[in-house]
Amino acid sequence: MDGIDHIIVLMLENRSFDHMLGLLDHPKKGEFPEAFLAGQDTRNPRPDGPDVEMKHQDSSVYMTDKEPGHTHKDVMSQMFHQSSRGDPPNMRGFAWNYVEEHGSDKPEAVMRAYSEAQAPVINKLARHFQLCTNWFCSVPGQTWPNRFFAMAGESARRVNIDVFGVPFELPDAIFPILEKRGVSWKIYHDGPCLALLIEGMLEPGMKKGFRNLDNLIDDIKSKQLPAFSWVEPDHFGKDSSSQHPGYMDESHDAWGFISADNLIGRIYDTLKMDPEQFRKTLFVVTYDEHGGLYDHVSPPDNFPRPYPEH
């Protein structure tokens, strides 16, 4: 991290690596062939017909007919389809879960790999900058626990969205720690912001750190970037920029997807206008979880538990 003065983290919503970047023609693809879709067995059985394979679908539709399952129960079904206890994840339950548990008759919707033309900004940056091919979300579950893990290294012992117990006591959340150590930080967001559910974030000393997304662009241009910036997209409605599938209708989902890709480009292009600041800034683009969309790489299981045993 020598030479880095600013870190910007943009966390988008509910898209898997295979879904977004599995078809990427990366210059180092030959060194990491297991990360990409070419040559992989991606077949998933379905309850009512032949197997479904992960492949490119020549369509401008960015939504799914149903919201894919991503509760803890759904994710375990997707990863361990008809497995015996103790078996490793086989990643063969995505299509089945989508049909059986969520009533869809289009399992191919969760087995869709986008071309570079369908998500141009993130694909271009992934080809030319550092690409993490072995990143996994922290919790086999939904948005809240995974975003909490990203902000605090834990999820208040939750694996699903849970409105009870708000605000959440997360003593190791990064923002209060930075504040206590005198390190500058800001949270840039439009619409609801999950960081507000962390205990203490509404105290007067902390509220000053919240700004809207346009302020991020202004702060880059005026050289007012803090040491750490957390960027939360707009999650809901016609102005969504999170890429979360299945929230509204086809046109709004397409706009939300494209808007998020454009947001990545907007931040990057603004940073690039100032070469000195660009060299000193680490811009991280990631996703909170896969959102029920297929990925062929099974997650590791050898990480220490986040909580002590009882």
Side-chain angles (χ1 to χ4, degrees):
M1 298 295 289
D2 290 344
I4 297 297
D5 293 341
H6 311 285
I7 299 174
I8 302 173
V9 178
L10 169 61
M11 178 171 276
L12 299 172
E13 288 271 308
N14 294 42
R15 303 277 174 169
S16 73
F17 184 97
D18 281 358
H19 174 70
M20 296 294 294
L21 297 170
L23 298 177
L24 176 67
D25 187 20
H26 195 278
K28 293 188 177 182
K29 186 166 60 176
E31 297 179 34
F32 307 97
E34 67 281 353
F36 298 94
L37 285 169
Q40 305 294 336
D41 181 1
T42 65
R43 291 173 296 175
N44 263 210
R46 55 188 288 176
D48 54 353
D51 288 355
V52 186
E53 293 190 50
M54 184 70 162
K55 61 183 180 180
H56 173 245
Q57 297 171 38
D58 189 15
S59 169
S60 61
V61 176
Y62 288 96
M63 73 175 298
T64 54
D65 61 313
K66 308 283 185 180
E67 183 177 350
H70 49 109
T71 66
H72 179 64
K73 180 181 177 182
D74 286 320
V75 179
M76 299 305 283
S77 167
Q78 292 157 5
M79 293 196 304
F80 294 95
H81 178 68
Q82 297 181 348
S83 296
S84 300
R85 187 176 181 85
D87 287 347
N90 58 36
M91 312 303 282
R92 284 177 53 79
F94 289 81
W96 190 287
N97 176 267
Y98 193 48
V99 173
E100 284 289 281
E101 299 297 329
H102 298 278
S104 175
D105 60 358
K106 299 177 181 178
E108 63 275 6
V110 296
M111 306 288 290
R112 174 190 296 148
Y114 286 147
S115 68
E116 296 184 37
Q118 290 170 307
V121 176
I122 194 170
N123 274 268
K124 183 174 182 179
L125 294 182
R127 190 188 305 112
H128 292 286
F129 293 93
Q130 186 70 37
L131 175 62
C132 298
T133 59
N134 201 36
W135 181 91
F136 299 88
C137 64
S138 299
V139 178
Q142 294 171 292
T143 289
W144 285 29
N146 280 297
R147 284 185 173 268
F148 284 143
F149 252 99
M151 292 185 285
E154 62 165 294
S155 61
R157 298 180 182 272
R158 287 164 169 81
V159 294
N160 286 314
I161 290 176
D162 184 356
V163 298
F164 300 104
V166 176
F168 294 105
E169 183 179 355
L170 296 166
D172 293 324
I174 189 170
F175 312 111
I177 290 175
L178 293 174
E179 183 70 17
K180 289 177 182 177
R181 296 185 179 181
V183 179
S184 60
W185 62 274
K186 283 189 175 71
I187 297 171
Y188 298 93
H189 70 104
D190 285 339
C193 177
L194 201 64
L196 289 169
L197 299 181
I198 297 174
E199 189 172 53
M201 292 301 290
L202 289 176
E203 293 179 2
M206 301 298 290
K207 288 173 67 176
K208 69 181 188 301
F210 291 85
R211 307 194 73 189
N212 65 44
L213 283 176
D214 285 338
N215 292 137
L216 171 60
I217 302 302
D218 293 339
D219 286 350
I220 296 172
K221 290 179 178 179
S222 62
K223 298 182 183 289
Q224 298 298 312
L225 264 182
F228 181 76
S229 301
W230 177 262
V231 185
E232 184 128 2
D234 196 331
H235 292 282
F236 300 107
K238 63 182 180 61
D239 296 321
S240 171
S241 57
S242 74
Q243 293 190 334
H244 192 301
Y247 263 160
M248 297 188 68
D249 57 34
E250 184 174 313
S251 61
H252 285 136
D253 267 45
W255 167 246
F257 187 96
I258 296 168
S259 178
D261 206 46
N262 289 340
L263 174 61
I264 298 170
R266 188 181 177 203
I267 296 171
Y268 171 79
D269 287 342
T270 308
L271 285 168
K272 199 174 179 183
M273 290 169 59
D274 183 340
E276 182 181 0
Q277 185 171 226
F278 182 78
R279 286 193 299 269
K280 296 179 179 180
T281 303
L282 174 63
F283 178 29
V284 179
V285 180
T286 187
Y287 289 79
D288 60 349
E289 38 118 344
H290 72 298
L293 298 165
Y294 175 79
D295 196 274
H296 74 279
V297 179
S298 61
D301 61 359
N302 57 347
F303 287 96
R305 294 176 181 271
Y307 310 108
E309 296 285 356
H310 292 287

PDB file of all heavy atoms in Angstrom, residues 91-123:
ATOM      1  N   MET A  91     -22.032 -26.976  -6.623  1.00  0.00           N
ATOM      2  CA  MET A  91     -22.480 -25.818  -7.400  1.00  0.00           C
ATOM      3  C   MET A  91     -23.467 -26.220  -8.499  1.00  0.00           C
ATOM      4  O   MET A  91     -23.493 -25.647  -9.575  1.00  0.00           O
ATOM      5  CB  MET A  91     -21.282 -25.074  -7.997  1.00  0.00           C
ATOM      6  CG  MET A  91     -20.150 -24.801  -7.016  1.00  0.00           C
ATOM      7  SD  MET A  91     -20.647 -23.848  -5.540  1.00  0.00           S
ATOM      8  CE  MET A  91     -20.721 -22.205  -6.223  1.00  0.00           C
ATOM      9  N   ARG A  92     -24.322 -27.207  -8.212  1.00  0.00           N
ATOM     10  CA  ARG A  92     -25.235 -27.727  -9.233  1.00  0.00           C
ATOM     11  C   ARG A  92     -26.712 -27.468  -8.907  1.00  0.00           C
ATOM     12  O   ARG A  92     -27.595 -28.026  -9.555  1.00  0.00           O
ATOM     13  CB  ARG A  92     -25.015 -29.237  -9.394  1.00  0.00           C
ATOM     14  CG  ARG A  92     -23.754 -29.566 -10.184  1.00  0.00           C
ATOM     15  CD  ARG A  92     -23.512 -31.060 -10.273  1.00  0.00           C
ATOM     16  NE  ARG A  92     -24.638 -31.833 -10.780  1.00  0.00           N
ATOM     17  CZ  ARG A  92     -24.970 -31.944 -12.070  1.00  0.00           C
ATOM     18  NH1 ARG A  92     -24.241 -31.339 -12.990  1.00  0.00           N
ATOM     19  NH2 ARG A  92     -26.001 -32.683 -12.442  1.00  0.00           N
ATOM     20  N   GLY A  93     -26.996 -26.572  -7.968  1.00  0.00           N
ATOM     21  CA  GLY A  93     -28.381 -26.394  -7.585  1.00  0.00           C
ATOM     22  C   GLY A  93     -29.018 -25.070  -7.971  1.00  0.00           C
ATOM     23  O   GLY A  93     -30.142 -24.779  -7.540  1.00  0.00           O
ATOM     24  N   PHE A  94     -28.351 -24.264  -8.780  1.00  0.00           N
ATOM     25  CA  PHE A  94     -28.864 -22.926  -9.086  1.00  0.00           C
ATOM     26  C   PHE A  94     -30.154 -22.984  -9.905  1.00  0.00           C
ATOM     27  O   PHE A  94     -31.151 -22.339  -9.574  1.00  0.00           O
ATOM     28  CB  PHE A  94     -27.794 -22.116  -9.826  1.00  0.00           C
ATOM     29  CG  PHE A  94     -26.638 -21.713  -8.959  1.00  0.00           C
ATOM     30  CD1 PHE A  94     -25.605 -22.597  -8.681  1.00  0.00           C
ATOM     31  CD2 PHE A  94     -26.583 -20.443  -8.406  1.00  0.00           C
ATOM     32  CE1 PHE A  94     -24.532 -22.224  -7.880  1.00  0.00           C
ATOM     33  CE2 PHE A  94     -25.519 -20.058  -7.601  1.00  0.00           C
ATOM     34  CZ  PHE A  94     -24.494 -20.958  -7.335  1.00  0.00           C
ATOM     35  N   ALA A  95     -30.141 -23.734 -10.997  1.00  0.00           N
ATOM     36  CA  ALA A  95     -31.329 -23.826 -11.846  1.00  0.00           C
ATOM     37  C   ALA A  95     -32.479 -24.494 -11.104  1.00  0.00           C
ATOM     38  O   ALA A  95     -33.629 -24.049 -11.161  1.00  0.00           O
ATOM     39  CB  ALA A  95     -30.993 -24.597 -13.127  1.00  0.00           C
ATOM     40  N   TRP A  96     -32.161 -25.568 -10.392  1.00  0.00           N
ATOM     41  CA  TRP A  96     -33.190 -26.301  -9.644  1.00  0.00           C
ATOM     42  C   TRP A  96     -33.830 -25.408  -8.590  1.00  0.00           C
ATOM     43  O   TRP A  96     -35.050 -25.360  -8.454  1.00  0.00           O
ATOM     44  CB  TRP A  96     -32.550 -27.524  -8.981  1.00  0.00           C
ATOM     45  CG  TRP A  96     -33.520 -28.485  -8.372  1.00  0.00           C
ATOM     46  CD1 TRP A  96     -34.250 -28.316  -7.223  1.00  0.00           C
ATOM     47  CD2 TRP A  96     -33.903 -29.764  -8.892  1.00  0.00           C
ATOM     48  NE1 TRP A  96     -35.040 -29.401  -6.985  1.00  0.00           N
ATOM     49  CE2 TRP A  96     -34.842 -30.313  -7.994  1.00  0.00           C
ATOM     50  CE3 TRP A  96     -33.520 -30.506 -10.002  1.00  0.00           C
ATOM     51  CZ2 TRP A  96     -35.410 -31.569  -8.175  1.00  0.00           C
ATOM     52  CZ3 TRP A  96     -34.091 -31.749 -10.197  1.00  0.00           C
ATOM     53  CH2 TRP A  96     -35.028 -32.275  -9.299  1.00  0.00           C
ATOM     54  N   ASN A  97     -33.021 -24.691  -7.829  1.00  0.00           N
ATOM     55  CA  ASN A  97     -33.544 -23.809  -6.784  1.00  0.00           C
ATOM     56  C   ASN A  97     -34.436 -22.726  -7.372  1.00  0.00           C
ATOM     57  O   ASN A  97     -35.493 -22.400  -6.810  1.00  0.00           O
ATOM     58  CB  ASN A  97     -32.377 -23.178  -6.024  1.00  0.00           C
ATOM     59  CG  ASN A  97     -32.823 -22.174  -4.971  1.00  0.00           C
ATOM     60  OD1 ASN A  97     -32.900 -20.980  -5.245  1.00  0.00           O
ATOM     61  ND2 ASN A  97     -33.099 -22.666  -3.781  1.00  0.00           N
ATOM     62  N   TYR A  98     -34.035 -22.192  -8.510  1.00  0.00           N
ATOM     63  CA  TYR A  98     -34.803 -21.105  -9.124  1.00  0.00           C
ATOM     64  C   TYR A  98     -36.183 -21.579  -9.572  1.00  0.00           C
ATOM     65  O   TYR A  98     -37.173 -20.859  -9.452  1.00  0.00           O
ATOM     66  CB  TYR A  98     -34.016 -20.547 -10.300  1.00  0.00           C
ATOM     67  CG  TYR A  98     -34.515 -19.236 -10.839  1.00  0.00           C
ATOM     68  CD1 TYR A  98     -34.803 -18.163  -9.998  1.00  0.00           C
ATOM     69  CD2 TYR A  98     -34.687 -19.051 -12.215  1.00  0.00           C
ATOM     70  CE1 TYR A  98     -35.242 -16.953 -10.502  1.00  0.00           C
ATOM     71  CE2 TYR A  98     -35.121 -17.840 -12.733  1.00  0.00           C
ATOM     72  CZ  TYR A  98     -35.395 -16.798 -11.865  1.00  0.00           C
ATOM     73  OH  TYR A  98     -35.842 -15.593 -12.373  1.00  0.00           O
ATOM     74  N   VAL A  99     -36.257 -22.807 -10.059  1.00  0.00           N
ATOM     75  CA  VAL A  99     -37.534 -23.358 -10.509  1.00  0.00           C
ATOM     76  C   VAL A  99     -38.376 -23.830  -9.321  1.00  0.00           C
ATOM     77  O   VAL A  99     -39.550 -23.457  -9.170  1.00  0.00           O
ATOM     78  CB  VAL A  99     -37.306 -24.518 -11.495  1.00  0.00           C
ATOM     79  CG1 VAL A  99     -38.624 -25.215 -11.827  1.00  0.00           C
ATOM     80  CG2 VAL A  99     -36.634 -24.014 -12.774  1.00  0.00           C
ATOM     81  N   GLU A 100     -37.785 -24.651  -8.480  1.00  0.00           N
ATOM     82  CA  GLU A 100     -38.532 -25.300  -7.399  1.00  0.00           C
ATOM     83  C   GLU A 100     -38.914 -24.348  -6.279  1.00  0.00           C
ATOM     84  O   GLU A 100     -40.019 -24.406  -5.748  1.00  0.00           O
ATOM     85  CB  GLU A 100     -37.711 -26.454  -6.822  1.00  0.00           C
ATOM     86  CG  GLU A 100     -37.687 -27.702  -7.686  1.00  0.00           C
ATOM     87  CD  GLU A 100     -39.037 -28.415  -7.676  1.00  0.00           C
ATOM     88  OE1 GLU A 100     -39.333 -29.135  -6.707  1.00  0.00           O
ATOM     89  OE2 GLU A 100     -39.794 -28.244  -8.659  1.00  0.00           O
ATOM     90  N   GLU A 101     -38.000 -23.482  -5.887  1.00  0.00           N
ATOM     91  CA  GLU A 101     -38.238 -22.631  -4.721  1.00  0.00           C
ATOM     92  C   GLU A 101     -38.789 -21.259  -5.078  1.00  0.00           C
ATOM     93  O   GLU A 101     -39.343 -20.574  -4.215  1.00  0.00           O
ATOM     94  CB  GLU A 101     -36.940 -22.462  -3.919  1.00  0.00           C
ATOM     95  CG  GLU A 101     -36.365 -23.762  -3.388  1.00  0.00           C
ATOM     96  CD  GLU A 101     -37.294 -24.457  -2.400  1.00  0.00           C
ATOM     97  OE1 GLU A 101     -38.040 -23.739  -1.690  1.00  0.00           O
ATOM     98  OE2 GLU A 101     -37.275 -25.696  -2.348  1.00  0.00           O
ATOM     99  N   HIS A 102     -38.624 -20.835  -6.331  1.00  0.00           N
ATOM    100  CA  HIS A 102     -39.024 -19.471  -6.677  1.00  0.00           C
ATOM    101  C   HIS A 102     -39.990 -19.400  -7.852  1.00  0.00           C
ATOM    102  O   HIS A 102     -40.300 -18.318  -8.341  1.00  0.00           O
ATOM    103  CB  HIS A 102     -37.774 -18.620  -6.926  1.00  0.00           C
ATOM    104  CG  HIS A 102     -36.922 -18.517  -5.705  1.00  0.00           C
ATOM    105  ND1 HIS A 102     -37.172 -17.612  -4.696  1.00  0.00           N
ATOM    106  CD2 HIS A 102     -35.876 -19.266  -5.281  1.00  0.00           C
ATOM    107  CE1 HIS A 102     -36.304 -17.788  -3.721  1.00  0.00           C
ATOM    108  NE2 HIS A 102     -35.509 -18.787  -4.048  1.00  0.00           N
ATOM    109  N   GLY A 103     -40.463 -20.555  -8.301  1.00  0.00           N
ATOM    110  CA  GLY A 103     -41.577 -20.603  -9.236  1.00  0.00           C
ATOM    111  C   GLY A 103     -41.283 -20.130 -10.637  1.00  0.00           C
ATOM    112  O   GLY A 103     -42.200 -19.775 -11.385  1.00  0.00           O
ATOM    113  N   SER A 104     -40.024 -20.130 -11.042  1.00  0.00           N
ATOM    114  CA  SER A 104     -39.705 -19.681 -12.388  1.00  0.00           C
ATOM    115  C   SER A 104     -39.792 -20.843 -13.374  1.00  0.00           C
ATOM    116  O   SER A 104     -39.505 -21.987 -13.038  1.00  0.00           O
ATOM    117  CB  SER A 104     -38.289 -19.094 -12.430  1.00  0.00           C
ATOM    118  OG  SER A 104     -37.939 -18.763 -13.770  1.00  0.00           O
ATOM    119  N   ASP A 105     -40.165 -20.533 -14.616  1.00  0.00           N
ATOM    120  CA  ASP A 105     -40.093 -21.536 -15.682  1.00  0.00           C
ATOM    121  C   ASP A 105     -38.967 -21.189 -16.653  1.00  0.00           C
ATOM    122  O   ASP A 105     -38.909 -21.702 -17.770  1.00  0.00           O
ATOM    123  CB  ASP A 105     -41.431 -21.642 -16.424  1.00  0.00           C
ATOM    124  CG  ASP A 105     -41.857 -20.326 -17.073  1.00  0.00           C
ATOM    125  OD1 ASP A 105     -41.138 -19.309 -16.914  1.00  0.00           O
ATOM    126  OD2 ASP A 105     -42.910 -20.311 -17.736  1.00  0.00           O
ATOM    127  N   LYS A 106     -38.040 -20.318 -16.205  1.00  0.00           N
ATOM    128  CA  LYS A 106     -36.908 -19.904 -17.042  1.00  0.00           C
ATOM    129  C   LYS A 106     -35.606 -20.047 -16.268  1.00  0.00           C
ATOM    130  O   LYS A 106     -34.956 -19.048 -15.908  1.00  0.00           O
ATOM    131  CB  LYS A 106     -37.094 -18.455 -17.492  1.00  0.00           C
ATOM    132  CG  LYS A 106     -38.349 -18.227 -18.330  1.00  0.00           C
ATOM    133  CD  LYS A 106     -38.511 -16.756 -18.669  1.00  0.00           C
ATOM    134  CE  LYS A 106     -39.779 -16.523 -19.485  1.00  0.00           C
ATOM    135  NZ  LYS A 106     -39.975 -15.066 -19.780  1.00  0.00           N
ATOM    136  N   PRO A 107     -35.179 -21.277 -15.994  1.00  0.00           N
ATOM    137  CA  PRO A 107     -33.944 -21.452 -15.221  1.00  0.00           C
ATOM    138  C   PRO A 107     -32.706 -20.889 -15.907  1.00  0.00           C
ATOM    139  O   PRO A 107     -31.705 -20.604 -15.248  1.00  0.00           O
ATOM    140  CB  PRO A 107     -33.841 -22.971 -15.070  1.00  0.00           C
ATOM    141  CG  PRO A 107     -34.650 -23.536 -16.191  1.00  0.00           C
ATOM    142  CD  PRO A 107     -35.783 -22.570 -16.389  1.00  0.00           C
ATOM    143  N   GLU A 108     -32.789 -20.702 -17.227  1.00  0.00           N
ATOM    144  CA  GLU A 108     -31.649 -20.120 -17.940  1.00  0.00           C
ATOM    145  C   GLU A 108     -31.368 -18.690 -17.474  1.00  0.00           C
ATOM    146  O   GLU A 108     -30.263 -18.159 -17.688  1.00  0.00           O
ATOM    147  CB  GLU A 108     -31.890 -20.137 -19.448  1.00  0.00           C
ATOM    148  CG  GLU A 108     -33.052 -19.312 -19.945  1.00  0.00           C
ATOM    149  CD  GLU A 108     -34.397 -20.036 -19.885  1.00  0.00           C
ATOM    150  OE1 GLU A 108     -34.449 -21.161 -19.355  1.00  0.00           O
ATOM    151  OE2 GLU A 108     -35.377 -19.471 -20.397  1.00  0.00           O
ATOM    152  N   ALA A 109     -32.342 -18.052 -16.808  1.00  0.00           N
ATOM    153  CA  ALA A 109     -32.141 -16.676 -16.346  1.00  0.00           C
ATOM    154  C   ALA A 109     -31.038 -16.564 -15.304  1.00  0.00           C
ATOM    155  O   ALA A 109     -30.370 -15.524 -15.210  1.00  0.00           O
ATOM    156  CB  ALA A 109     -33.443 -16.116 -15.774  1.00  0.00           C
ATOM    157  N   VAL A 110     -30.825 -17.605 -14.509  1.00  0.00           N
ATOM    158  CA  VAL A 110     -29.753 -17.568 -13.508  1.00  0.00           C
ATOM    159  C   VAL A 110     -28.492 -18.250 -14.022  1.00  0.00           C
ATOM    160  O   VAL A 110     -27.518 -18.406 -13.289  1.00  0.00           O
ATOM    161  CB  VAL A 110     -30.197 -18.206 -12.168  1.00  0.00           C
ATOM    162  CG1 VAL A 110     -31.318 -17.401 -11.540  1.00  0.00           C
ATOM    163  CG2 VAL A 110     -30.594 -19.662 -12.342  1.00  0.00           C
ATOM    164  N   MET A 111     -28.520 -18.666 -15.292  1.00  0.00           N
ATOM    165  CA  MET A 111     -27.377 -19.322 -15.930  1.00  0.00           C
ATOM    166  C   MET A 111     -26.960 -18.507 -17.155  1.00  0.00           C
ATOM    167  O   MET A 111     -26.638 -19.040 -18.213  1.00  0.00           O
ATOM    168  CB  MET A 111     -27.758 -20.749 -16.340  1.00  0.00           C
ATOM    169  CG  MET A 111     -28.317 -21.612 -15.224  1.00  0.00           C
ATOM    170  SD  MET A 111     -27.084 -22.111 -14.012  1.00  0.00           S
ATOM    171  CE  MET A 111     -26.110 -23.273 -14.972  1.00  0.00           C
ATOM    172  N   ARG A 112     -26.950 -17.204 -17.003  1.00  0.00           N
ATOM    173  CA  ARG A 112     -26.658 -16.298 -18.108  1.00  0.00           C
ATOM    174  C   ARG A 112     -25.316 -15.617 -17.872  1.00  0.00           C
ATOM    175  O   ARG A 112     -25.087 -15.005 -16.825  1.00  0.00           O
ATOM    176  CB  ARG A 112     -27.744 -15.239 -18.211  1.00  0.00           C
ATOM    177  CG  ARG A 112     -27.475 -14.141 -19.243  1.00  0.00           C
ATOM    178  CD  ARG A 112     -28.454 -12.994 -19.128  1.00  0.00           C
ATOM    179  NE  ARG A 112     -29.804 -13.427 -19.417  1.00  0.00           N
ATOM    180  CZ  ARG A 112     -30.884 -12.892 -18.849  1.00  0.00           C
ATOM    181  NH1 ARG A 112     -30.763 -11.936 -17.967  1.00  0.00           N
ATOM    182  NH2 ARG A 112     -32.086 -13.342 -19.169  1.00  0.00           N
ATOM    183  N   ALA A 113     -24.432 -15.700 -18.849  1.00  0.00           N
ATOM    184  CA  ALA A 113     -23.138 -15.027 -18.790  1.00  0.00           C
ATOM    185  C   ALA A 113     -23.161 -13.837 -19.742  1.00  0.00           C
ATOM    186  O   ALA A 113     -23.446 -14.002 -20.930  1.00  0.00           O
ATOM    187  CB  ALA A 113     -22.020 -15.989 -19.167  1.00  0.00           C
ATOM    188  N   TYR A 114     -22.859 -12.665 -19.231  1.00  0.00           N
ATOM    189  CA  TYR A 114     -22.879 -11.479 -20.070  1.00  0.00           C
ATOM    190  C   TYR A 114     -21.599 -11.358 -20.899  1.00  0.00           C
ATOM    191  O   TYR A 114     -20.504 -11.685 -20.431  1.00  0.00           O
ATOM    192  CB  TYR A 114     -23.026 -10.220 -19.226  1.00  0.00           C
ATOM    193  CG  TYR A 114     -24.412 -10.022 -18.661  1.00  0.00           C
ATOM    194  CD1 TYR A 114     -24.605  -9.423 -17.423  1.00  0.00           C
ATOM    195  CD2 TYR A 114     -25.538 -10.428 -19.364  1.00  0.00           C
ATOM    196  CE1 TYR A 114     -25.876  -9.228 -16.908  1.00  0.00           C
ATOM    197  CE2 TYR A 114     -26.811 -10.255 -18.858  1.00  0.00           C
ATOM    198  CZ  TYR A 114     -26.980  -9.647 -17.633  1.00  0.00           C
ATOM    199  OH  TYR A 114     -28.236  -9.464 -17.131  1.00  0.00           O
ATOM    200  N   SER A 115     -21.762 -10.863 -22.105  1.00  0.00           N
ATOM    201  CA  SER A 115     -20.605 -10.568 -22.949  1.00  0.00           C
ATOM    202  C   SER A 115     -19.981  -9.255 -22.498  1.00  0.00           C
ATOM    203  O   SER A 115     -20.565  -8.487 -21.724  1.00  0.00           O
ATOM    204  CB  SER A 115     -21.040 -10.452 -24.411  1.00  0.00           C
ATOM    205  OG  SER A 115     -21.856  -9.301 -24.584  1.00  0.00           O
ATOM    206  N   GLU A 116     -18.789  -8.975 -23.011  1.00  0.00           N
ATOM    207  CA  GLU A 116     -18.125  -7.725 -22.671  1.00  0.00           C
ATOM    208  C   GLU A 116     -18.940  -6.524 -23.151  1.00  0.00           C
ATOM    209  O   GLU A 116     -18.918  -5.469 -22.516  1.00  0.00           O
ATOM    210  CB  GLU A 116     -16.717  -7.704 -23.255  1.00  0.00           C
ATOM    211  CG  GLU A 116     -15.812  -8.775 -22.669  1.00  0.00           C
ATOM    212  CD  GLU A 116     -14.382  -8.689 -23.170  1.00  0.00           C
ATOM    213  OE1 GLU A 116     -13.888  -7.560 -23.364  1.00  0.00           O
ATOM    214  OE2 GLU A 116     -13.761  -9.754 -23.358  1.00  0.00           O
ATOM    215  N   ALA A 117     -19.671  -6.694 -24.241  1.00  0.00           N
ATOM    216  CA  ALA A 117     -20.477  -5.589 -24.762  1.00  0.00           C
ATOM    217  C   ALA A 117     -21.660  -5.269 -23.861  1.00  0.00           C
ATOM    218  O   ALA A 117     -22.159  -4.140 -23.858  1.00  0.00           O
ATOM    219  CB  ALA A 117     -20.974  -5.923 -26.167  1.00  0.00           C
ATOM    220  N   GLN A 118     -22.131  -6.246 -23.099  1.00  0.00           N
ATOM    221  CA  GLN A 118     -23.285  -6.034 -22.232  1.00  0.00           C
ATOM    222  C   GLN A 118     -22.920  -5.354 -20.915  1.00  0.00           C
ATOM    223  O   GLN A 118     -23.770  -4.764 -20.262  1.00  0.00           O
ATOM    224  CB  GLN A 118     -23.986  -7.365 -21.970  1.00  0.00           C
ATOM    225  CG  GLN A 118     -24.694  -7.925 -23.195  1.00  0.00           C
ATOM    226  CD  GLN A 118     -25.162  -9.353 -22.987  1.00  0.00           C
ATOM    227  OE1 GLN A 118     -24.384 -10.222 -22.613  1.00  0.00           O
ATOM    228  NE2 GLN A 118     -26.432  -9.595 -23.249  1.00  0.00           N
ATOM    229  N   ALA A 119     -21.655  -5.463 -20.494  1.00  0.00           N
ATOM    230  CA  ALA A 119     -21.181  -4.786 -19.283  1.00  0.00           C
ATOM    231  C   ALA A 119     -19.805  -4.206 -19.607  1.00  0.00           C
ATOM    232  O   ALA A 119     -18.787  -4.659 -19.088  1.00  0.00           O
ATOM    233  CB  ALA A 119     -21.108  -5.761 -18.115  1.00  0.00           C
ATOM    234  N   PRO A 120     -19.756  -3.198 -20.471  1.00  0.00           N
ATOM    235  CA  PRO A 120     -18.480  -2.780 -21.057  1.00  0.00           C
ATOM    236  C   PRO A 120     -17.487  -2.174 -20.083  1.00  0.00           C
ATOM    237  O   PRO A 120     -16.285  -2.441 -20.185  1.00  0.00           O
ATOM    238  CB  PRO A 120     -18.902  -1.754 -22.119  1.00  0.00           C
ATOM    239  CG  PRO A 120     -20.247  -1.266 -21.674  1.00  0.00           C
ATOM    240  CD  PRO A 120     -20.897  -2.445 -21.018  1.00  0.00           C
ATOM    241  N   VAL A 121     -17.947  -1.365 -19.133  1.00  0.00           N
ATOM    242  CA  VAL A 121     -16.997  -0.651 -18.270  1.00  0.00           C
ATOM    243  C   VAL A 121     -16.264  -1.609 -17.350  1.00  0.00           C
ATOM    244  O   VAL A 121     -15.027  -1.619 -17.286  1.00  0.00           O
ATOM    245  CB  VAL A 121     -17.711   0.446 -17.461  1.00  0.00           C
ATOM    246  CG1 VAL A 121     -16.721   1.112 -16.493  1.00  0.00           C
ATOM    247  CG2 VAL A 121     -18.313   1.498 -18.386  1.00  0.00           C
ATOM    248  N   ILE A 122     -17.012  -2.441 -16.637  1.00  0.00           N
ATOM    249  CA  ILE A 122     -16.355  -3.338 -15.686  1.00  0.00           C
ATOM    250  C   ILE A 122     -15.478  -4.357 -16.405  1.00  0.00           C
ATOM    251  O   ILE A 122     -14.409  -4.738 -15.912  1.00  0.00           O
ATOM    252  CB  ILE A 122     -17.382  -4.027 -14.758  1.00  0.00           C
ATOM    253  CG1 ILE A 122     -16.656  -4.664 -13.574  1.00  0.00           C
ATOM    254  CG2 ILE A 122     -18.228  -5.048 -15.514  1.00  0.00           C
ATOM    255  CD1 ILE A 122     -17.591  -5.167 -12.482  1.00  0.00           C
ATOM    256  N   ASN A 123     -15.884  -4.787 -17.596  1.00  0.00           N
ATOM    257  CA  ASN A 123     -15.050  -5.715 -18.362  1.00  0.00           C
ATOM    258  C   ASN A 123     -13.757  -5.058 -18.823  1.00  0.00           C
ATOM    259  O   ASN A 123     -12.682  -5.666 -18.755  1.00  0.00           O
ATOM    260  CB  ASN A 123     -15.834  -6.263 -19.557  1.00  0.00           C
ATOM    261  CG  ASN A 123     -16.673  -7.465 -19.210  1.00  0.00           C
ATOM    262  OD1 ASN A 123     -16.230  -8.607 -19.330  1.00  0.00           O
ATOM    263  ND2 ASN A 123     -17.899  -7.226 -18.750  1.00  0.00           N
TER     264      ASN A 123
END
